[in-house]
Structure formats: C-alpha cells, structure tokens
Amino acid sequence: YTSGKAASAAGLTAAVVRDQDTGEFCIEAGALMLADNGICCIDEFDKMDQHDQVAIHEAMEQQTISITKAGIQATLNARASILAAANPIHGRYDRSKTLRANVQLSAPILSRFDLFFVVLDECDDVADYNVAKHIVDVHRCDEAVVDPPFTQDQMLRYIRFARTLNPQITEESRRVLIDCYRKLRQGDTMGRSRTAYRITVRQLESLIRLSEALAR
C-alpha cells in the first residue's frame, strides 16, 4: 500500500542507492517490485505528479521495470495488479460529464487500466443509517458485526486453486473477441465512444485478461 501524493517514481518502481558497507551501488525495491505476484494499492492516485505517473507505464503494460543507472542495467519483474483510488475534480462526481472529464488523469494512464468503478456518495436514509450503525458497532468492538461469509484461509485456498487453472481461448471465443474489438474500434472512429479514451490494442488485451479471469 502507498499513497500517491507521498510516493515518488523511484519509490513505486526501484531506486539505485549506494551500499553503506561496501560502497557499491545496489537496487532498492519499490512498491511494485515488493508486490510481485500480488496487488499494489495506491491511494490518492490523482494527486501523483505527472512525472511519477509516467514511471509506472512500463510496469502496468509490460509487468517489468527497466533500470539503467550508475552502471547498473537490469530488467526486474513487477507482475502486480494495481488497485488505484482517485477523487473526482472538485470533490464531487458530475453525472452530466464523462469519466475522463471527472478525473484528472492522463490518457496513457487510463488506457492501462482494465476496469473502472465509479463510487457515488448519494444521500439515502436507509443506507446512511446502516453505514453509521456499522461504524458505531465496530468502535464498540462488537464481534458479531464483522462476520464474513468466508474465512481468510478459505479465500487463500480458493485463490491458490484459481491460479493453478490455465484457460485456453477456443476458436469461438477468438471470433467473439475479434468481433467485439472491431465494433469498439468502429464506434470510436465514428465518435460514438464518449465514456473512455481511444480504443487501442490495450483494450483487446484487457478483454483477454478479463475473459481468462472469469473462466477461472
């Protein structure tokens, strides 16, 4: 876990530092390297500087981090999923505008995410009462409030088993994916796509990843 405002490019990827004992340069792992084969959570993603956002382009697309500094040239694994949270412009989501007009993120960054979830803060008496009751009960240390349907061990076993599966793309699935990508490209060219940035090959790769995840 890291916060976007407090994280730098080297802190997210990797840094080259001098070892105090030997005096030689060595690689110090960043958040994405430490989250290899796991999930890296980044809060306040929209508060990150543009230079720091560019540093994770390679990690999000190639799942690697390349370093060429101080005589060290290496390509390191960063096979991590990124779960990022961002606030809308002016603190409130405007339903009359598209997603790209509500968040202050660049097109290259947005095109590298597979899914977007818009969480709206709507005023509802029942929902507000349930949320407030849950928070108060948690502060009262009421153990009955935190009662998940599955234990942590059960979830870990389920995830480990799902990772052993290796779905294959059938001929019918191949035709569906190609046809879906072709329609998305046509809609983007004709100006019908108003909710996202331009449709590129990255979106086709996202469709393949999501299809394999659903199959698992």
Side-chain angles (χ1 to χ4, degrees):
Y1 170 83
T2 182
S3 178
K5 190 62 178 177
S8 63
L12 287 173
T13 55
V16 176
V17 297
R18 186 184 294 273
D19 189 90
Q20 295 181 355
D21 297 330
T22 62
E24 297 180 352
F25 288 101
C26 60
I27 297 176
E28 189 173 292
L32 290 175
M33 281 185 60
L34 295 175
D36 189 30
N37 287 325
I39 299 176
C40 180
C41 301
I42 305 177
D43 196 9
E44 303 289 346
F45 193 67
D46 56 310
K47 305 299 190 303
M48 288 179 60
D49 295 334
Q50 190 74 19
H51 172 71
D52 298 332
Q53 289 184 359
V54 172
I56 65 175
H57 282 185
E58 179 190 359
M60 294 184 68
E61 186 169 4
Q62 305 294 335
Q63 302 280 281
T64 57
I65 296 173
S66 299
I67 293 180
T68 307
K69 295 179 182 178
I72 295 178
Q73 185 173 0
T75 300
L76 309 170
N77 289 327
R79 298 160 297 184
S81 301
I82 295 181
L83 178 63
N87 294 319
I89 301 175
H90 307 305
R92 185 172 291 275
Y93 192 88
D94 190 352
R95 293 193 177 202
S96 62
K97 298 180 181 179
T98 59
L99 174 65
R100 57 185 171 185
N102 273 281
V103 292
Q104 195 171 1
L105 296 174
S106 62
I109 282 289
L110 283 177
S111 65
R112 283 169 166 81
F113 282 99
D114 293 342
L115 294 172
F116 295 93
F117 299 95
V118 178
V119 181
L120 300 175
D121 184 14
E122 297 180 333
C123 296
D124 182 82
D125 291 339
V126 177
D128 293 342
Y129 172 79
N130 292 330
V131 170
K133 181 177 180 299
H134 176 76
I135 293 175
V136 172
D137 290 340
V138 169
H139 281 279
R140 292 177 59 220
C141 298
D142 189 355
E143 296 182 358
V145 177
V146 185
D147 187 18
F150 303 101
T151 64
Q152 185 176 0
D153 292 336
Q154 289 175 335
M155 291 300 299
L156 289 174
R157 285 199 301 269
Y158 173 75
I159 293 173
R160 281 196 296 266
F161 174 73
R163 285 182 173 180
T164 61
L165 302 179
N166 188 20
Q168 300 295 327
I169 298 178
T170 61
E171 183 64 26
E172 183 180 0
S173 301
R174 185 185 68 86
R175 290 195 299 267
V176 172
L177 287 171
I178 293 175
D179 187 58
C180 181
Y181 174 71
R182 183 177 56 83
K183 290 180 179 179
L184 288 174
R185 287 283 293 179
Q186 289 178 353
D188 185 38
T189 304
M190 298 176 64
R192 292 198 299 261
S193 178
R194 300 181 179 180
T195 58
Y197 281 91
R198 290 210 57 181
I199 303 298
T200 62
V201 181
R202 293 194 186 112
Q203 278 64 51
L204 176 59
E205 294 176 345
S206 297
L207 289 174
I208 296 174
R209 284 193 294 267
L210 292 175
S211 301
E212 291 178 348
L214 289 174
R216 289 191 179 99

